[in-house]
Amino acid sequence: MNYSSTRGENVKLTSAEAIIKGLATDGGLFVPDSLPQVDQSFIEDLLPLSYEERAAKVLGLFLTDYTAEEIKTCVNNAYGQGKFDCEDRAPVTDLGTMQVLELWHGPTSAFKDMALQLLPQLMSTALKKTGEKSDVLILVATSGDTGKAALEGFKDVDQISIMVFYPEGGVSQIQQLQMLTQEGSNVNVTAVQGNFDDAQSGVKVIFSDKAFGEELAKANVKLSSANSINWGRLVPQIVYYFSAYADLRKAGTIASGEEVNFTVPTGNFGNILAGFYAKQMGLPVHKLVCASNANNVLTDFLQTGCYDRNRDFYKTITPSMDILISSNLERLLYHVTGNKEQVAGWMAELAKKGSYEVDKDTRGKIKEFFWADFVDDNATKACIRQVYEQHKYVLDTHTAVAYQVAKNYRHATHDEHVMVVVSTASPYKFNGSVLEALQVETAGLDEFDLLDKLQEVNEQPIPAGLAALKTKEVRHQDVCAKDKMADAVLKFVAK
Ligand SMILES: *Cc1c(COP(=O)(O)O)cnc(C)c1O
């Protein structure tokens, strides 16, 4: 299977090459030339398998240049070795009216681990396979969860180093501590004086700066990306849609071939796009519901066909969704239109004036697959409280956005398909907002008191990685202006 850019540049790469490269030279994203198709027996065969075995089967359809043995090793290194605190890796919890797919049992307690434990394995295998002699520097812009998950996945991986930029003051205290205490000899963490979009745009500028790339090449360094623009980030995420479906089949919740819905708390459109791929491959999915917070640029787009980032940016209690440019939408536009020239045109408009509008046909096709809504912080908190009162189950804020939007969807459409709410973080990761939602008094408590406080009302234990932060030393203190990120990279490379 070959991969090429969404913007039409005339190159064909293997998956290993696309994973090393991250972003195409023309600024586009790598996409597979065709999508593999599965039938019902492929899905039924997944039922008795472990998560690792399911992953190997799904990944094998896309990573056709990797041997079965290579994929198996990558998958076991990523999800085995005691890194996940749950035997099922990504279990589905039945709350009666909703099924909750928990994607936060990995080392950093957020769904990013599902992809970022595997990406470094795929990338270091790719370096060996392709005989690449340069060192690879991973540049990451993070709204919080990606940074820590990428650092944890890439730390001390041979031939690869990693630099993470996060918006100063734009991530939760726990997220910040997780990053600033990161160990490993090949890592750097730098705060950017700006918001997430500034950090992400800064990284994109660095990637597309040819002269800068040549300067790095002199130091034998090539850039790559661990953001969800990297194909190696996206492909692992397709697996858990299949795995969740197999678990629902196994539990007898659905019949063979029965369609289900997924509601996904969305930021960069990576998670929900993986659901789109699963559906296109033949997984019985009826609707993908895109849940946003007050930064509702995607809600507007999916409803009207007009993408407009020229609007106020809000800091919400769901910081991992505080995004106005959802990079992976570009991949969707390509798959829906099949027209790279047109995609390149829209992306040029987005870069130039911050907006674009798709044609009626494209808008119609997108609406067949997606439904969208958003909720504000108050509705998010009310949802956390309500679900706790009904089920004694504690949702994190991001998951609560999805849960509430899933309810809104049902109310608006009367669609009674089984609904899977995709849960993207442990509530402990956003304990301040969660406790506030539960109306627990938190005055005067520090981050670690808050963990303990939440433990008092939550049956789930505090994740080991979060509990351990208390005694870890802060190792990173770099700060840079948003137009000085390239200089920061050179400084790290020169070290
Ligand atoms: C990253 C993240 C999201 C958004 O996922 P995208 O793939 O960027 O749409 C939602 N919730 C949490 C907790 C996250 O870390």
Side-chain angles (χ1 to χ4, degrees):
M1 181 172 291
N2 284 319
Y3 292 79
S4 59
S5 166
T6 45
R7 298 193 192 172
E9 185 190 28
N10 194 17
V11 289
K12 293 231 175 293
L13 304 184
T14 63
S15 70
E17 290 165 339
I19 287 168
I20 293 172
K21 214 159 180 281
L23 196 66
T25 318
D26 64 358
L29 276 54
F30 289 117
V31 281
D33 283 346
S34 64
L35 292 179
Q37 298 297 309
V38 303
D39 56 18
Q40 212 46 46
S41 73
F42 175 92
I43 296 167
E44 294 294 311
D45 287 348
L46 297 176
L47 268 58
L49 304 185
S50 68
Y51 190 84
E52 284 88 319
E53 290 165 331
R54 290 172 179 175
K57 287 202 121 185
V58 175
L59 293 168
L61 300 172
F62 285 100
L63 310 178
T64 49
D65 51 324
Y66 286 66
T67 66
E69 201 51 41
E70 283 169 340
I71 291 178
K72 196 173 159 199
T73 305
C74 286
V75 161
N76 288 336
N77 286 343
Y79 303 117
Q81 328 275 351
K83 286 179 179 166
F84 281 65
D85 66 10
C86 171
E87 189 61 36
D88 291 344
R89 314 305 183 224
V92 178
T93 295
D94 185 352
L95 294 186
T97 54
M98 300 284 179
Q99 303 290 326
V100 181
L101 170 58
E102 298 177 354
L103 299 180
W104 39 262
H105 289 278
T108 77
S109 308
F111 102 96
K112 305 290 194 289
D113 289 329
M114 301 306 299
L116 281 166
Q117 281 299 314
L118 186 57
L119 173 65
Q121 303 298 326
L122 296 177
M123 198 179 282
S124 82
T125 305
L127 292 173
K128 288 189 202 109
K129 290 173 73 65
T130 58
E132 176 63 60
K133 293 286 179 289
S134 304
D135 289 334
V136 168
L137 171 61
I138 303 289
L139 290 187
V140 178
T142 184
S143 54
D145 290 333
T146 302
K148 175 60 182 181
L151 289 162
E152 200 53 43
F154 280 104
K155 76 169 176 210
D156 298 326
V157 169
D158 209 31
Q159 216 180 325
I160 305 179
S161 56
I162 172 163
M163 185 164 191
V164 170
F165 293 101
Y166 71 95
E168 190 177 34
V171 302
S172 83
Q173 258 181 296
I174 284 271
Q175 287 175 323
Q176 184 161 329
L177 257 184
Q178 279 186 306
M179 290 192 279
L180 297 187
T181 57
Q182 180 65 44
E183 291 157 4
S185 57
N186 60 340
V187 304
N188 173 276
V189 180
T190 297
V192 178
Q193 293 164 326
N195 61 33
F196 171 69
D197 287 321
D198 294 324
Q200 177 159 265
S201 301
V203 165
K204 280 196 162 182
V205 167
I206 293 173
F207 271 113
S208 58
D209 184 338
K210 283 217 170 78
F212 189 77
E214 281 160 20
E215 199 164 337
L216 287 180
K218 283 183 209 150
N220 196 35
V221 172
K222 277 192 175 168
L223 292 178
S224 191
S225 159
N227 278 103
S228 57
I229 52 181
N230 191 311
W231 178 251
R233 248 306 277 289
L234 207 64
V235 71
Q237 298 180 166
I238 300 171
V239 174
Y240 51 72
Y241 286 92
F242 280 89
S243 180
Y245 190 90
D247 282 346
L248 290 172
R249 279 284 301 123
K250 221 170 132 177
T253 311
I254 52 173
S256 176
E258 184 176 336
E259 290 190 325
V260 302
N261 295 324
F262 287 92
T263 302
V264 187
T266 297
N268 231 339
F269 211 76
N271 195 351
I272 196 167
L273 183 72
F276 170 81
Y277 281 125
K279 178 171 164 62
Q280 292 299 81
M281 291 164 69
L283 189 72
V285 177
H286 179 62
K287 277 279 183 218
L288 294 160
V289 179
C290 176
S292 299
N293 63 22
N295 296 297
N296 57 356
V297 63
L298 281 170
T299 316
D300 287 349
F301 174 72
L302 296 172
Q303 287 176 358
T304 69
C306 180
Y307 195 98
D308 189 357
R309 65 149 302 179
N310 301 305
R311 59 178 74 208
D312 290 339
F313 176 83
Y314 300 104
K315 280 192 180 186
T316 70
I317 58 172
T318 45
S320 300
M321 298 157 70
D322 288 346
I323 290 175
L324 291 181
I325 300 182
S326 293
S327 311
N328 270 299
L329 201 55
E330 180 169 347
R331 282 193 168 105
L332 178 72
L333 292 174
Y334 163 69
H335 288 293
V336 169
T337 63
N339 184 339
K340 293 186 170 183
E341 213 173 304
Q342 188 158 52
V343 173
W346 287 328
M347 292 304 117
E349 278 185 61
L350 179 64
K352 199 166 145 210
K353 57 186 175 78
S355 67
Y356 61 90
E357 185 167 6
V358 300
D359 53 280
K360 206 167 149 218
D361 188 39
T362 304
R363 189 176 77 211
K365 281 188 197 151
I366 289 174
K367 274 198 168 176
E368 277 172 37
F369 299 109
F370 295 93
W371 194 87
D373 196 9
F374 73 100
V375 293
D376 65 13
D377 282 356
N378 282 333
T380 305
K381 285 188 209 161
C383 179
I384 292 174
R385 194 160 59 244
Q386 216 178 47
V387 171
Y388 183 70
E389 279 163 7
Q390 278 175 4
H391 304 285
K392 289 286 168 284
Y393 183 87
V394 184
L395 300 172
D396 110 90
T397 49
H398 304 75
T399 309
V401 166
Y403 201 102
Q404 185 57 46
V405 167
K407 281 167 73 174
N408 295 354
Y409 171 75
R410 271 215 185 119
H411 187 76
T413 63
H414 306 288
D415 175 358
E416 291 301 328
H417 284 98
V418 167
M419 176 63 85
V420 182
V421 173
V422 178
S423 176
T424 50
S426 157
Y428 288 104
K429 230 180 153 172
F430 300 94
N431 48 33
S433 303
V434 170
L435 284 165
E436 204 184 307
L438 296 174
Q439 296 171 332
V440 174
E441 184 54 60
T442 58
L445 299 184
D446 72 14
E447 280 292 317
F448 299 102
D449 299 332
L450 293 178
L451 287 177
D452 294 336
K453 200 84 190 167
L454 187 54
Q455 165 83 95
E456 289 171 18
V457 296
N458 190 5
E459 280 169 19
Q460 302 250 11
I462 302 173
L466 298 183
L469 286 177
K470 198 167 184 169
T471 51
K472 284 211 168 153
E473 144 201 25
V474 169
R475 305 164 61 100
H476 305 278
Q477 279 158 344
D478 296 348
V479 181
C480 83
K482 62 185 179 187
D483 58 349
K484 290 283 187 293
M485 288 166 59
D487 296 343
V489 173
L490 288 180
K491 207 173 119 198
F492 177 52
V493 168
K495 254 200 198 159

